[in-house]
Every structure is written in C-alpha cells, then in structure tokens.
Amino acid sequence: MAALPTTGELKRTPLHALHLRLGARMVEFAGYEMPVQYPSGIIKEHLHTRAAAGLFDVSHMGQIVLRARSGHLEDAAFALETLVPSDMLGLPLGRQRYTLFTNETGGILDDLMVSNRGDHFMLVVNAARKAVDEAYLREHLSDSCAIEPLSDRALIALQGPQAESVLAEVAPEVRTMSFMDVRTISFFGVDCGVSRSGYTGEDGFEISVPAKSAEALCEALLHNLAMAPVGLGARDSLRLEAGLCLYGSDLDETITPVEAALAWTIPAVRRVGGTRAGGFPGAETILKQLADGAARRRIGLKPEGRVPVRHGATLYRAEHDAAPVGVVTSGGFSPSLNAPISMGYVPCDLAKLDTRLFADVRGKRLPVKVSALPFVPTRYKRS
Amino acid sequence: MLKYTNDHEWLRMDGDVATIGITPFAQEKLGDLVFVELPGVGMKLSKGTVAATVESVKAASDVYAPVSGDVLAVNEKLTGEPGLVNADPTGDGWLFKMKLADVAELDTLLDERAYSALTTSH
C-alpha cells in the first residue's frame, strides 16, 4: 500500500473535541486538522445528506468583514467591484452572492461568497486561500476599507432536505429564508450569521457562530436523528455531484471565469455596454472571451466503466492519440449514482454533450462521455 | 498465521501459494472502497512492484507485490462488490493469490507482533 496520511502540527477548529468524541478520522486539510469521515464512512454520510441532513464543520474557511471607512456600504461595494466581476453595488441587504477574485490575466485567485450585512460585507473564502486573500484585500482596498478577519467564529453547514426542519426546531424563522438569504438569527440566545446556501447542491444553511458556542449548538442539532455529522470526504463527493468547483483543482490562476463556465457570475452591468463595464482585474481578457468565446471549457464527464477518473488524468480525442486535448480537474465516485464522475477542461469543439473522449488512468485509455452538470439535480429553496 | 508488510498487506501461506490482501488497519484508513483493479492471472510480479490498485471514494492507492511470483488467481467478486475489502479484509476481501518464486523472501516479512507494533505507533 502507498503511504497513508498522517497528521502533524496543525490548527484546530472550535469543534475539534466534538469531532474526536464522534469518532472522526482526522486528516490535514489546508493547515487544519479536519474530520475526513466519521465511523459510518463517506458513502453513508453522503447518502444521509441527500436523504436527510448532514452537519459539516467548515470553520477552516475564512470569514472576513469588509467595512467602508466612510461608513457608507456603497463605498465598500465600489471598492470590491475593483477586484471581482460581479455586481456588488446591486447586492441587496440580506442577500449573498457567489463571485471570484480575478487576476490581471483573467485567471481566478479565489472563489468566494459575499453577503450584504447592512453596515458591512461578509466574505467567506477558501481555507487554503484565506491568508493570500486577506493580504490581497489589504493591499488593494485598505485606503477605503477596513478588513477584519474573524478568527473567533466557527462556521457550520447544515445540508440536506431535512436541514430546514432540524434548524427550525431551534429557530422557526429560518423557514422564511430563501436560497442565498442571509440573516442574524439567535440560537439559544447567541446571535449567529445564517445564510441559506452551501456546497452540496442541497437546500441548507451555513451558520457563523461564536467559537465558544459552536460545540453546544452542534450537539443540540445532532440530538435530532435526522442530522448526522459529515466529514470532508463526503463534502467533496457531494459538491462534485452538484457540479461545484473546488479551488486549486477546478479553478486556479490560469483558468478564466468563462473557461470555468462561471460567466453567470458576471452580470450585464459589468459587461461591455454595462454602466460599470470592466474595472476588475483581467477585464480585457474576460470581456473578450465573453464576446468571442474561450478556447476551452469546464465540462462534466461520465466514465463508461467503474474506474474512477481522478484529478490530473489526461484526456484524448481518440483512444491511441499521443497528445492530450484536456485534463480532468476533479474526479471520483458518485455515491448517489453508484458510478464514477469527473469534471475537466476540453477544447470547446469537444465540449458538446455525449462527446466520447478517452482518459488515461494508470496507462490505460478509458472511454468517458461529456455529461451535463450538475450530475445530481440541485434542490435549492428558491423564493 | 498471517505475515505482513510495512505497506499494510497481509499474506496467508498454503504451501508455496500465498493469498494476499490489505490489512484491517489499511481498509479502515482508506475508507469505503469503490473499485479494485486486480492483476492479470498468469502475470509475473516482482516484489515491490504494483500488483493492484484499491480505490476509495477519495483516492486510488497502489498495492505492491509483497513477494515475487506468478499470479494464480484473483478475487473476481471484488469487481461487483469492492466493499468486501472493507467488510472482511482478511477473508472474503482477499485480493489475489501468488505462487512464490523464492520462499526465502518470506523471511523479509513481518509477523503479527511486529506489524501490530507498526500500526500502534501511527
């Protein structure tokens, strides 16, 4: 057997002791000691999330408060729009939006969630990127904005068709929230920031809770048998089924939003002809790609057999071609479909549904078919 | 009596034929298996070369030939039921059988006590 993972000197989340009590297997992830799975295992945790509800510790992610020095949120919105291609000025109070930090060549520095919290924006960024993102925000926005990373807060995700009913037992008002709504809600007298969103394709919530109250809140939620703890292993298989990108695998500094099939994050107002067209890093490249198309595109892939086709596998137009035409960026096994699934990048002429390609796995060329994303229908609670 | 490798494989000897699998420790570390790639029957394997690949939801891990020899049989049941390796790693979840080229290679393997010391130090 190849080397098995071990843990070294790592940061811990406020839920570390709870994970150990629940029997989690802990692994290193982005400098943190995180639960990859609990005793029931990745497949059961995954299927339980789709059938009932899962509780995920995502406290390793960065929570950053962005506040205009002028006191006017509008000034923070203008500032943020110099770094992202989305509409921040038009983000209503109590709403969340998915966006991207782009670089000068049109690549992606990180993907993030931004919420309008009235007197500030709340940014949730990837764990592995939070130090970079914070430095980047300070470098570019310090003149107009105060940047405050929240280090004393846990972030808990509740995902699945029963997430609402479990959370509503503690705070009934969550039922009135729609997909991408954000509110302050009190659980057991503790104010928390709650968004109706997540990273599984299911309906659900993310709760930003003070570190000292996180464990008690999780324990209360886990008393409900519909709610089971779910580790990072199933979080990854759930997001892949939902066709959602993982930064560092499906997105990086060389991939543009258009190539990544994330052009929907760029509204008309930021495109050519819009009142605030461009003005974000790499705008020239990205706006040109929006008009003319990009050379490659992110697609879903279904391997024809049982062999998972994973990150890094090269893709070929014909079985015996020497030169690859694309690459798999995420791949694994879908517990919901009981079959392997992957995502990757191919030239646009090969991105049509049902195009047959070949993937190299351990020296063998295996047939794969371009497939629609998401692999499993999403079930967001839209208003 | 099982023999073990540092790489978390076990061997059960019957004359000069070894049945080989991964240890309970290894299957637990890997988690739910979703695919097992087995060697071809008749293949000659040298000690330390890749003999099989076990794939969990998260990752693919190579299984090395713990000794040199010819592959005599593989566990075809794992094609449809890779989870047998999780459920019964040293029984129904065996991977393949080899006819040993050099019985002296067995001396390089760990006994139960040495292997158990290896896994408790993790």
Side-chain angles (χ1 to χ4, degrees):
Chain A
M1 298 281 306
L4 295 164
T6 56
T7 53
E9 278 302 304
L10 298 169
K11 284 179 274 190
R12 294 175 171 182
T13 76
L15 296 171
H16 188 265
L18 177 63
H19 297 317
L20 298 186
R21 272 209 307 288
L22 292 168
R25 185 145 64 75
M26 306 299 283
V27 297
E28 189 276 337
F29 184 81
Y32 281 81
E33 195 177 340
M34 297 297 292
V36 66
Q37 64 166 80
Y38 298 87
S40 63
I42 292 175
I43 292 177
K44 284 205 176 81
E45 290 168 27
H46 179 116
L47 296 173
H48 185 86
T49 304
R50 292 261 183 256
L55 184 151
F56 306 70
D57 179 11
V58 291
S59 307
H60 57 316
M61 297 189 76
Q63 303 180 62
I64 302 173
V65 169
L66 188 73
R67 216 180 281 273
R69 295 194 189 279
S70 66
H72 302 293
L73 188 70
E74 193 178 84
D75 293 329
F78 277 120
L80 199 49
E81 285 196 0
T82 65
L83 303 183
V84 306
S86 303
D87 180 7
M88 293 291 113
L89 207 58
L91 179 64
L93 174 65
R95 292 288 291 166
Q96 187 176 52
R97 190 161 279 172
Y98 174 74
T99 190
L100 310 161
F101 289 131
T102 51
N103 66 18
E104 291 300 330
T105 56
I108 299 168
L109 293 172
D110 199 4
D111 61 340
L112 67 153
M113 288 289 207
V114 179
S115 303
N116 178 342
R117 304 290 281 128
D119 62 345
H120 67 274
F121 285 112
M122 170 66 82
L123 279 53
V124 179
V125 304
N126 281 298
R129 300 295 288 175
K130 65 183 175 184
V132 172
D133 290 347
E134 189 192 326
Y136 181 72
L137 288 165
R138 284 189 198 288
E139 183 190 340
H140 292 276
L141 303 189
S142 280
D143 286 349
S144 59
C145 297
I147 292 130
E148 183 199 349
L150 299 182
S151 50
D152 59 345
R153 293 207 148 226
L155 191 64
I156 301 159
L158 308 177
Q159 300 282 293
Q162 293 188 53
E164 181 193 72
S165 60
V166 174
L167 194 57
E169 284 183 7
V170 184
E173 63 265 44
V174 299
R175 290 188 190 279
T176 62
M177 294 176 72
S178 296
F179 182 54
M180 300 296 252
D181 278 351
V182 184
R183 275 192 216 161
T184 299
I185 290 176
S186 175
F187 300 108
F188 307 109
V190 178
D191 278 352
C192 298
V194 180
S195 67
R196 191 149 197 172
S197 56
Y199 192 46
T200 62
E202 294 295 328
D203 178 28
F205 301 86
E206 289 192 351
I207 305 172
S208 172
V209 49
K212 61 179 183 350
S213 305
E215 185 174 306
L217 175 60
C218 288
E219 292 202 291
L221 295 168
L222 288 168
H223 270 300
N224 191 315
L225 292 178
M227 186 67 68
V230 179
L232 291 186
R235 181 169 158 85
D236 190 54
S237 52
L238 288 158
R239 71 91 195 167
L240 180 56
E241 285 183 353
L244 299 171
C245 293
L246 173 64
Y247 192 85
S249 293
D250 307 300
L251 307 177
D252 66 31
E253 296 182 19
T254 70
I255 295 169
T256 71
V258 181
E259 293 170 331
L262 298 174
W264 59 269
T265 63
I266 311 171
V269 69
R270 305 299 309 274
R271 299 188 183 200
V272 174
T275 54
R276 300 194 308 285
F280 52 87
E284 197 180 330
T285 304
I286 292 167
L287 295 181
K288 189 171 184 314
Q289 286 187 354
L290 281 172
D292 303 342
R296 57 179 176 168
R297 186 182 166 83
R298 180 172 61 94
I299 44 139
L301 291 166
K302 281 188 179 171
E304 288 181 8
R306 301 284 305 167
V307 186
V309 179
R310 298 182 188 273
H311 174 82
T314 43
L315 295 166
Y316 300 83
R317 187 185 296 262
E319 187 169 2
H320 301 292
D321 278 3
V325 292
V327 66
V328 169
T329 51
S330 279
F333 181 77
S334 160
S336 303
L337 304 178
N338 187 29
I341 52 171
S342 307
M343 292 199 295
Y345 285 83
V346 296
C348 288
D349 65 308
L350 298 177
K352 286 178 209 65
L353 282 188
D354 297 327
T355 303
R356 198 164 188 248
L357 301 168
F358 291 85
D360 187 293
V361 178
R362 297 185 285 275
K364 285 183 195 142
R365 296 289 172 88
L366 307 177
V368 298
K369 218 170 234 179
V370 175
S371 169
L373 294 173
F375 294 102
V376 172
T378 56
R379 297 197 283 187
Y380 305 128
K381 194 199 165 190
R382 298 187 191 269
S383 51
Chain B
M1 281 288 282
L2 298 184
K3 293 270 197 185
Y4 299 88
T5 70
N6 284 317
D7 298 319
H8 308 286
E9 290 116 10
W10 57 262
L11 289 83
R12 183 179 288 114
M13 293 306 303
D14 181 8
D16 62 351
V17 173
T19 302
I20 292 156
I22 66 168
T23 64
F25 175 83
Q27 76 74 22
E28 197 186 321
K29 285 280 174 190
L30 290 167
D32 297 329
L33 294 192
V34 297
F35 181 77
V36 179
E37 185 164 294
L38 295 165
V41 172
M43 259 176 82
K44 278 193 191 309
L45 297 173
S46 312
K47 178 180 163 156
T49 57
V50 175
T53 304
V54 289
E55 301 214 24
S56 67
V57 179
K58 280 204 74 65
S61 305
D62 289 332
V63 179
Y64 305 114
V67 289
S68 304
D70 298 339
V71 177
L72 287 182
V74 297
N75 188 353
E76 303 282 2
K77 268 201 217 163
L78 300 182
T79 310
E81 271 185 279
L84 282 175
V85 178
N86 297 112
D88 190 8
T90 58
D92 287 347
W94 64 277
L95 299 181
F96 56 95
K97 293 179 196 275
M98 284 175 79
K99 183 175 164 63
L100 268 59
D102 178 6
V103 178
E105 277 184 353
L106 290 175
D107 297 339
T108 65
L109 301 174
L110 306 176
D111 62 15
E112 180 97 44
R113 176 188 287 197
Y115 180 70
S116 151
L118 176 77
T119 54
T120 49
S121 71
H122 268 254

